[in-house]
Amino acid sequence: MSSGTDFSRRNRRTATTAFVVVAGMVGLTFAFVPLYTLICQVTGLGGTPQVAERNETDVSTQEITVRFDANVDRSLPWDFAPNEASVTINLGAEYLTSYRSTNLSDEAVTGISTFNVTPLKAAQYFTKIECFCFTEQTLEPGQSVDMPVTFYIDPAILEDELANEVQTITLSYTFYRTLDDIPDEEPEIISEADQVITTAQVGSF
Amino acid sequence: MTRISAFFTGWVLTLVSASSAWAQEMPTPSFPVPWQLNLQTPASPVAERLVEFHNFLLVICTVISVIVLALLIWCAIRYNAKANPVPSKNTHNTLLEIVWTAIPVIVLVIIAVPSYRLLYYMDRVEDPGLTIKVIGNQWYWTYEFPDDDISFDSLPLPDDEIDIAAGQHRLLEVDTPLILPTDTDIRILFTATDVLHAWTIPAFGVKLDNVPGRTNETWTRITIPGKYYGQCSELCGIDHSYMPIVVHAVSPEEFEAWRADQLAANDNTPDDANRLAALIQE
Amino acid sequence: MSTTATHAHDDDHNHAPKGISRWLNSTNHKDIGTMYLVFSVVAALVGGGLSLLIRIELGEPGIQVFDVIGEMMGSEAKQFYNVTVTAHALLMVFFVVMPALIGGFGNWFVPMMIGAPDMAFPRMNNISFWLMPPALILLILSGVMGQGAGTGWTLYPPLSGLAGQPDMSVDFAILSLHLAGASSILGATNFITTILNMRAPGMTMHKAPLFVWATLITAVLLLLAMPVLAGALTMLLTDRNFGTAFFDPRGGGDPLLWQHLFWFFGHPEVYIMILPAFGIVSHIVSTFSRKPVFGYLGMAYAMASIGIVGFVVWAHHMYTVGMGVNYRAYFVAVTMAIAVPTGIKIFSWIATMWGGSISFKTPMMWAIGFIFLFTVGGVTGVVLANAGMDIAMHDTYYVVAHFHYVLSLGAIFAIFAGFYYWFDKMTGKVYPEWAGQLHFWTTFIGVNVLFFPQHFLGLAGMPRRYIDYPDIFAEWNMVSTWGAYLTMTSTVFFLIVTLIVMIAGRKSVANPWGDGATTLEWTVASPAPFHTFEDTPDFTGGNPAAHPAE
């Protein structure tokens, strides 16, 4: 009989190990959420630009064009656009541009933005110094603000055989209404979309 | 060729003002035929390479499948119980096992070389002279020419508005097609406003997801003028099957004419800032 | 036969509990295996019925049947089509293939093949099974509640989020998959413990039959992949109901995170569906060639390497999502690498037949059909592995054709092969050979007519998950639908014959397949007794089944 209990003890140990593995995998899945963000930031996956404290690169004579792109989600009653469509700068040179947001509604609204740069392979050379990335912005009714972005393009891009042909980089932002700020009423049904919804919704807020 | 394109230029220019008529008369160089077996006729350098690479892969696939089938048939003939009543006990052959590991590796390397050449070719961007932005919505497309402030929606035509006699195709026509120049590098930016969509034109070898909150980029260069079709290629809800894509590829001169028309039309509408200011004051 | 027949019958032998409690409270691996198989057939009837609806709908351009069905279901035709596509996929993956291969054949034959009296945790085995019916009910509810979950089985947000599907249908689908996942995890734990600890004396892992190897590797994959799905589903559920923002940009989330997590589970999942099939096919090819499996160790380690590499290839499902070129280049390389161990398996099966004395009984026909059709699905997989080429095929019918060749004509063929192979052992009845052959040939022709034209449709540019398509694609769609009719007729024939044989079939013997069948299940009577072995088989002197009683 002792071999029988031995058997069940061994079985229990194997099963416990299996359940620990399962728990570990669930844990890893949740750990992957911040890790994914980190991977994007470090490697430029999905076109995530780099962030630096200051610009330590040398200015090159080589020029590059940066285009500025802006999108607003329908739920956000804002006007949001770059103050200049594009700029041509030297590699390594720091540049300050800005986007303008205007709250078109009659109540305070909080927005949050996502952003990326394309071509995706240029992301690891696109470095932002000061930005409104992911910081929430609350605008009072009718308020307009300029949102500054300081950035430079790392001249190391010239040494990247896969990316050195890139002559134009697009920096794109999308503004959303923050999740906490979504009004209580039923969410707008997306299928009833209307291109000029930012203005059409003005009265309802 | 020049005669054809001259003819082409001629009639397109006369139609610029009546753009609804465009939909009916353009040639469709890449449209599939009944019982089509292979990819559509390519109309861009990328698509040409895709067709070439696919034909190469097709040969390899067919050869492998036929070899496996032939071996199975040979076993069935030579080693069926009647023909070979006493089975051999052979279960190992190191040389054979090395060979059938090594040969697939070699075949894969042979595939990988053109595959990577194609992949990096598609990824390499020259500096395009034209940028367009494709925005996916449930369930229509919005096209923007960001440098010119041109923006319009492209809505599907319902079945009862399709004129099949005039060469229109059910489920594929839109009210306002996208006009693009041929022989021009075009940068395409992709994004979406609600859920995932994927904008594709098979004849251009372009297919990329429109992801809300993110921009994607690719490029194309259309080699043949004509009318091209695509359909949304990422499940996006109820009307996923009903948001076609239509591109009219015209010569750069005709494109410029169209663009000038659009810009002139733009000047006649009050600009956005004034409109918004008026709304805020209300 | 020697081990069982020479011993006097013990009083408890074959004392199966009677009535409903035998099934409800079952702790017997064979009874649970039977329940899994019956469950799988029920789910297959629903899932197969849905696929027939899809094919009838696509038989000609325009909307044929879904306007009527949609109205009946209180949903819009086009939405209900999406619901049907979604439910068909989820049913086939989680409620047909997995329960049949792992729950059904795994439960029936893994303990028998290793000479174990039962699974390591018989009561946990019961829970594993009984989680499945509620999961199935939840899945069906997800299709009929509200507007129905029409997100595709991949449940990509934002479409699966509140913005895309605001009512509760997707929540039902999530909970259904949670239950099915929990069932799989419990089952996997049970299989791992059983296989690692409960093998007969003398049966080292290197002597274990390949189906045992396949089940062990599958169980490990389940253990590593299912929790990832569970975690991701939980995130989706809290995003939908509790205001989190894992996949919602409005709270700093990213919809693409879901795709990474889903496919980290989803790609191993396809190997979870095919590895047990590999195991079954190995046994059948060996049995009917009257030869041991060629390159046994290579076969076992090929499966192990397919399992391992399966975890690092997930983003080949995401080539068009907008991913850096170097990432795509990496995924091309590892994905193509999987072709090597798969090739080893194909060639080893052929080498097993080579020099053999092959009898082409029904199970062997299905196994040979599997080998060829899986090869066809494999080579189109190599085509799709190329990130550049995939631009032309992504989300077209080419992909649909590819994965039906490896799953429908792969995994399902292996299920039929296993069914005919073990039918005598499970029921004690003889399946009429002519009926099996007729079923095989009609299905073989039917599924090829059904799925091969879909390659052409995909290449010509027809996107998948479309309720209606441009008229130019009508011809091949019509052919494809004919194939579906033939396949369905063949399946109905199979079901009727099976019912008749179960009721009125001839009695079978312990080993109907002769000296090629060398695994332990053939040493016990047919049907296998309630308690399989009276004495634990002993492998220390070699395989007792390989040297049948004199």
mmCIF file of all heavy atoms in Angstrom, chain B residues 58-86:
data_model
loop_
_atom_site.group_PDB
_atom_site.id
_atom_site.type_symbol
_atom_site.label_atom_id
_atom_site.label_comp_id
_atom_site.label_asym_id
_atom_site.label_seq_id
_atom_site.Cartn_x
_atom_site.Cartn_y
_atom_site.Cartn_z
ATOM 1 N N LEU B 58 4.630 28.557 -56.506
ATOM 2 C CA LEU B 58 3.636 27.598 -56.993
ATOM 3 C C LEU B 58 4.321 26.364 -57.571
ATOM 4 O O LEU B 58 3.887 25.230 -57.345
ATOM 5 C CB LEU B 58 2.771 28.281 -58.059
ATOM 6 C CG LEU B 58 1.451 27.627 -58.399
ATOM 7 C CD1 LEU B 58 0.602 27.483 -57.149
ATOM 8 C CD2 LEU B 58 0.721 28.464 -59.426
ATOM 9 N N VAL B 59 5.428 26.589 -58.276
ATOM 10 C CA VAL B 59 6.166 25.466 -58.850
ATOM 11 C C VAL B 59 6.694 24.579 -57.719
ATOM 12 O O VAL B 59 6.514 23.357 -57.724
ATOM 13 C CB VAL B 59 7.325 25.978 -59.735
ATOM 14 C CG1 VAL B 59 8.208 24.824 -60.168
ATOM 15 C CG2 VAL B 59 6.769 26.734 -60.925
ATOM 16 N N ILE B 60 7.296 25.202 -56.716
ATOM 17 C CA ILE B 60 7.862 24.426 -55.596
ATOM 18 C C ILE B 60 6.759 23.645 -54.891
ATOM 19 O O ILE B 60 6.890 22.448 -54.617
ATOM 20 C CB ILE B 60 8.598 25.371 -54.627
ATOM 21 C CG1 ILE B 60 9.846 25.922 -55.328
ATOM 22 C CG2 ILE B 60 8.970 24.643 -53.345
ATOM 23 C CD1 ILE B 60 10.707 26.764 -54.446
ATOM 24 N N CYS B 61 5.641 24.315 -54.607
ATOM 25 C CA CYS B 61 4.526 23.661 -53.918
ATOM 26 C C CYS B 61 4.025 22.466 -54.715
ATOM 27 O O CYS B 61 3.786 21.387 -54.163
ATOM 28 C CB CYS B 61 3.346 24.629 -53.765
ATOM 29 S SG CYS B 61 3.643 25.894 -52.582
ATOM 30 N N THR B 62 3.862 22.674 -56.009
ATOM 31 C CA THR B 62 3.331 21.599 -56.840
ATOM 32 C C THR B 62 4.301 20.428 -56.855
ATOM 33 O O THR B 62 3.894 19.273 -56.709
ATOM 34 C CB THR B 62 3.090 22.120 -58.279
ATOM 35 O OG1 THR B 62 2.356 23.335 -58.172
ATOM 36 C CG2 THR B 62 2.325 21.133 -59.096
ATOM 37 N N VAL B 63 5.591 20.723 -57.032
ATOM 38 C CA VAL B 63 6.578 19.643 -57.076
ATOM 39 C C VAL B 63 6.550 18.844 -55.777
ATOM 40 O O VAL B 63 6.497 17.610 -55.784
ATOM 41 C CB VAL B 63 7.986 20.223 -57.359
ATOM 42 C CG1 VAL B 63 9.053 19.168 -57.119
ATOM 43 C CG2 VAL B 63 8.056 20.765 -58.775
ATOM 44 N N ILE B 64 6.536 19.536 -54.634
ATOM 45 C CA ILE B 64 6.536 18.834 -53.345
ATOM 46 C C ILE B 64 5.281 17.964 -53.221
ATOM 47 O O ILE B 64 5.362 16.780 -52.873
ATOM 48 C CB ILE B 64 6.620 19.832 -52.180
ATOM 49 C CG1 ILE B 64 7.987 20.530 -52.175
ATOM 50 C CG2 ILE B 64 6.389 19.124 -50.845
ATOM 51 C CD1 ILE B 64 8.102 21.649 -51.171
ATOM 52 N N SER B 65 4.129 18.538 -53.526
ATOM 53 C CA SER B 65 2.891 17.772 -53.386
ATOM 54 C C SER B 65 2.885 16.563 -54.308
ATOM 55 O O SER B 65 2.462 15.468 -53.911
ATOM 56 C CB SER B 65 1.680 18.660 -53.703
ATOM 57 O OG SER B 65 1.670 19.772 -52.851
ATOM 58 N N VAL B 66 3.376 16.749 -55.529
ATOM 59 C CA VAL B 66 3.379 15.636 -56.478
ATOM 60 C C VAL B 66 4.355 14.549 -56.020
ATOM 61 O O VAL B 66 4.061 13.352 -56.114
ATOM 62 C CB VAL B 66 3.723 16.142 -57.899
ATOM 63 C CG1 VAL B 66 4.039 14.989 -58.831
ATOM 64 C CG2 VAL B 66 2.568 16.963 -58.442
ATOM 65 N N ILE B 67 5.503 14.956 -55.475
ATOM 66 C CA ILE B 67 6.458 13.951 -54.987
ATOM 67 C C ILE B 67 5.814 13.123 -53.875
ATOM 68 O O ILE B 67 5.877 11.887 -53.874
ATOM 69 C CB ILE B 67 7.750 14.633 -54.476
ATOM 70 C CG1 ILE B 67 8.562 15.163 -55.669
ATOM 71 C CG2 ILE B 67 8.595 13.657 -53.665
ATOM 72 C CD1 ILE B 67 9.786 15.963 -55.258
ATOM 73 N N VAL B 68 5.171 13.808 -52.907
ATOM 74 C CA VAL B 68 4.548 13.078 -51.801
ATOM 75 C C VAL B 68 3.460 12.147 -52.334
ATOM 76 O O VAL B 68 3.379 10.972 -51.949
ATOM 77 C CB VAL B 68 3.985 14.068 -50.759
ATOM 78 C CG1 VAL B 68 3.103 13.345 -49.748
ATOM 79 C CG2 VAL B 68 5.125 14.775 -50.038
ATOM 80 N N LEU B 69 2.651 12.657 -53.256
ATOM 81 C CA LEU B 69 1.573 11.837 -53.820
ATOM 82 C C LEU B 69 2.153 10.629 -54.555
ATOM 83 O O LEU B 69 1.684 9.493 -54.400
ATOM 84 C CB LEU B 69 0.719 12.682 -54.776
ATOM 85 C CG LEU B 69 -0.498 11.978 -55.359
ATOM 86 C CD1 LEU B 69 -1.457 11.585 -54.254
ATOM 87 C CD2 LEU B 69 -1.202 12.882 -56.366
ATOM 88 N N ALA B 70 3.231 10.867 -55.319
ATOM 89 C CA ALA B 70 3.839 9.776 -56.085
ATOM 90 C C ALA B 70 4.394 8.711 -55.140
ATOM 91 O O ALA B 70 4.231 7.508 -55.376
ATOM 92 C CB ALA B 70 4.949 10.322 -56.981
ATOM 93 N N LEU B 71 5.030 9.142 -54.058
ATOM 94 C CA LEU B 71 5.575 8.176 -53.102
ATOM 95 C C LEU B 71 4.451 7.353 -52.479
ATOM 96 O O LEU B 71 4.574 6.129 -52.319
ATOM 97 C CB LEU B 71 6.363 8.901 -52.000
ATOM 98 C CG LEU B 71 7.709 9.507 -52.417
ATOM 99 C CD1 LEU B 71 8.282 10.365 -51.302
ATOM 100 C CD2 LEU B 71 8.692 8.395 -52.780
ATOM 101 N N LEU B 72 3.338 8.021 -52.142
ATOM 102 C CA LEU B 72 2.207 7.302 -51.544
ATOM 103 C C LEU B 72 1.641 6.287 -52.538
ATOM 104 O O LEU B 72 1.360 5.136 -52.180
ATOM 105 C CB LEU B 72 1.114 8.292 -51.108
ATOM 106 C CG LEU B 72 1.439 9.146 -49.872
ATOM 107 C CD1 LEU B 72 0.403 10.239 -49.686
ATOM 108 C CD2 LEU B 72 1.514 8.278 -48.621
ATOM 109 N N ILE B 73 1.512 6.700 -53.794
ATOM 110 C CA ILE B 73 0.961 5.783 -54.799
ATOM 111 C C ILE B 73 1.920 4.604 -55.019
ATOM 112 O O ILE B 73 1.506 3.453 -55.102
ATOM 113 C CB ILE B 73 0.683 6.544 -56.115
ATOM 114 C CG1 ILE B 73 -0.495 7.497 -55.910
ATOM 115 C CG2 ILE B 73 0.383 5.578 -57.255
ATOM 116 C CD1 ILE B 73 -0.760 8.421 -57.076
ATOM 117 N N TRP B 74 3.208 4.917 -55.063
ATOM 118 C CA TRP B 74 4.203 3.853 -55.225
ATOM 119 C C TRP B 74 4.100 2.849 -54.068
ATOM 120 O O TRP B 74 4.093 1.630 -54.278
ATOM 121 C CB TRP B 74 5.602 4.459 -55.302
ATOM 122 C CG TRP B 74 6.682 3.408 -55.338
ATOM 123 C CD1 TRP B 74 7.605 3.132 -54.380
ATOM 124 C CD2 TRP B 74 6.935 2.473 -56.401
ATOM 125 N NE1 TRP B 74 8.403 2.097 -54.761
ATOM 126 C CE2 TRP B 74 8.013 1.663 -56.005
ATOM 127 C CE3 TRP B 74 6.333 2.236 -57.646
ATOM 128 C CZ2 TRP B 74 8.532 0.637 -56.797
ATOM 129 C CZ3 TRP B 74 6.849 1.215 -58.434
ATOM 130 C CH2 TRP B 74 7.928 0.434 -58.017
ATOM 131 N N CYS B 75 3.972 3.345 -52.839
ATOM 132 C CA CYS B 75 3.823 2.455 -51.687
ATOM 133 C C CYS B 75 2.584 1.585 -51.854
ATOM 134 O O CYS B 75 2.595 0.391 -51.552
ATOM 135 C CB CYS B 75 3.693 3.250 -50.394
ATOM 136 S SG CYS B 75 5.251 3.903 -49.802
ATOM 137 N N ALA B 76 1.513 2.208 -52.356
ATOM 138 C CA ALA B 76 0.259 1.467 -52.492
ATOM 139 C C ALA B 76 0.388 0.362 -53.524
ATOM 140 O O ALA B 76 -0.183 -0.718 -53.375
ATOM 141 C CB ALA B 76 -0.864 2.430 -52.884
ATOM 142 N N ILE B 77 1.182 0.616 -54.577
ATOM 143 C CA ILE B 77 1.325 -0.400 -55.625
ATOM 144 C C ILE B 77 2.341 -1.470 -55.220
ATOM 145 O O ILE B 77 2.085 -2.661 -55.284
ATOM 146 C CB ILE B 77 1.770 0.279 -56.944
ATOM 147 C CG1 ILE B 77 0.663 1.209 -57.443
ATOM 148 C CG2 ILE B 77 2.115 -0.761 -57.999
ATOM 149 C CD1 ILE B 77 1.111 2.136 -58.552
ATOM 150 N N ARG B 78 3.485 -1.010 -54.762
ATOM 151 C CA ARG B 78 4.604 -1.919 -54.539
ATOM 152 C C ARG B 78 4.500 -2.661 -53.206
ATOM 153 O O ARG B 78 4.902 -3.810 -53.082
ATOM 154 C CB ARG B 78 5.914 -1.104 -54.617
ATOM 155 C CG ARG B 78 7.182 -1.841 -54.284
ATOM 156 C CD ARG B 78 7.464 -2.964 -55.287
ATOM 157 N NE ARG B 78 8.578 -3.800 -54.849
ATOM 158 C CZ ARG B 78 8.480 -4.776 -53.962
ATOM 159 N NH1 ARG B 78 7.319 -5.033 -53.400
ATOM 160 N NH2 ARG B 78 9.538 -5.506 -53.626
ATOM 161 N N TYR B 79 3.958 -1.984 -52.187
ATOM 162 C CA TYR B 79 4.015 -2.568 -50.846
ATOM 163 C C TYR B 79 2.641 -2.906 -50.289
ATOM 164 O O TYR B 79 2.449 -2.939 -49.085
ATOM 165 C CB TYR B 79 4.757 -1.631 -49.883
ATOM 166 C CG TYR B 79 6.176 -1.389 -50.303
ATOM 167 C CD1 TYR B 79 6.593 -0.145 -50.766
ATOM 168 C CD2 TYR B 79 7.100 -2.434 -50.282
ATOM 169 C CE1 TYR B 79 7.889 0.063 -51.184
ATOM 170 C CE2 TYR B 79 8.404 -2.233 -50.695
ATOM 171 C CZ TYR B 79 8.793 -0.981 -51.148
ATOM 172 O OH TYR B 79 10.080 -0.788 -51.572
ATOM 173 N N ASN B 80 1.662 -3.129 -51.163
ATOM 174 C CA ASN B 80 0.390 -3.589 -50.601
ATOM 175 C C ASN B 80 0.529 -5.046 -50.184
ATOM 176 O O ASN B 80 1.448 -5.752 -50.598
ATOM 177 C CB ASN B 80 -0.751 -3.349 -51.583
ATOM 178 C CG ASN B 80 -0.672 -4.266 -52.769
ATOM 179 O OD1 ASN B 80 -0.742 -5.477 -52.643
ATOM 180 N ND2 ASN B 80 -0.500 -3.671 -53.946
ATOM 181 N N ALA B 81 -0.397 -5.488 -49.340
ATOM 182 C CA ALA B 81 -0.236 -6.792 -48.714
ATOM 183 C C ALA B 81 -0.089 -7.916 -49.742
ATOM 184 O O ALA B 81 0.576 -8.908 -49.486
ATOM 185 C CB ALA B 81 -1.419 -7.050 -47.788
ATOM 186 N N LYS B 82 -0.713 -7.761 -50.904
ATOM 187 C CA LYS B 82 -0.604 -8.814 -51.919
ATOM 188 C C LYS B 82 0.783 -8.831 -52.543
ATOM 189 O O LYS B 82 1.390 -9.875 -52.703
ATOM 190 C CB LYS B 82 -1.651 -8.573 -53.017
ATOM 191 C CG LYS B 82 -2.987 -9.202 -52.693
ATOM 192 C CD LYS B 82 -3.820 -9.385 -53.977
ATOM 193 C CE LYS B 82 -5.296 -9.445 -53.635
ATOM 194 N NZ LYS B 82 -5.961 -8.138 -53.772
ATOM 195 N N ALA B 83 1.260 -7.634 -52.884
ATOM 196 C CA ALA B 83 2.534 -7.558 -53.593
ATOM 197 C C ALA B 83 3.708 -7.843 -52.658
ATOM 198 O O ALA B 83 4.768 -8.285 -53.097
ATOM 199 C CB ALA B 83 2.693 -6.178 -54.229
ATOM 200 N N ASN B 84 3.545 -7.571 -51.384
ATOM 201 C CA ASN B 84 4.661 -7.720 -50.453
ATOM 202 C C ASN B 84 4.163 -8.330 -49.151
ATOM 203 O O ASN B 84 3.963 -7.634 -48.170
ATOM 204 C CB ASN B 84 5.280 -6.331 -50.192
ATOM 205 C CG ASN B 84 6.620 -6.440 -49.497
ATOM 206 O OD1 ASN B 84 7.371 -7.365 -49.754
ATOM 207 N ND2 ASN B 84 6.901 -5.500 -48.611
ATOM 208 N N PRO B 85 3.953 -9.647 -49.144
ATOM 209 C CA PRO B 85 3.307 -10.268 -47.977
ATOM 210 C C PRO B 85 4.144 -10.183 -46.708
ATOM 211 O O PRO B 85 3.581 -10.170 -45.611
ATOM 212 C CB PRO B 85 3.103 -11.716 -48.417
ATOM 213 C CG PRO B 85 3.751 -11.885 -49.724
ATOM 214 C CD PRO B 85 4.265 -10.588 -50.209
ATOM 215 N N VAL B 86 5.460 -10.118 -46.830
ATOM 216 C CA VAL B 86 6.296 -10.087 -45.620
ATOM 217 C C VAL B 86 6.904 -8.703 -45.455
ATOM 218 O O VAL B 86 7.726 -8.288 -46.271
ATOM 219 C CB VAL B 86 7.420 -11.146 -45.694
ATOM 220 C CG1 VAL B 86 8.218 -11.149 -44.395
ATOM 221 C CG2 VAL B 86 6.826 -12.511 -45.974
#
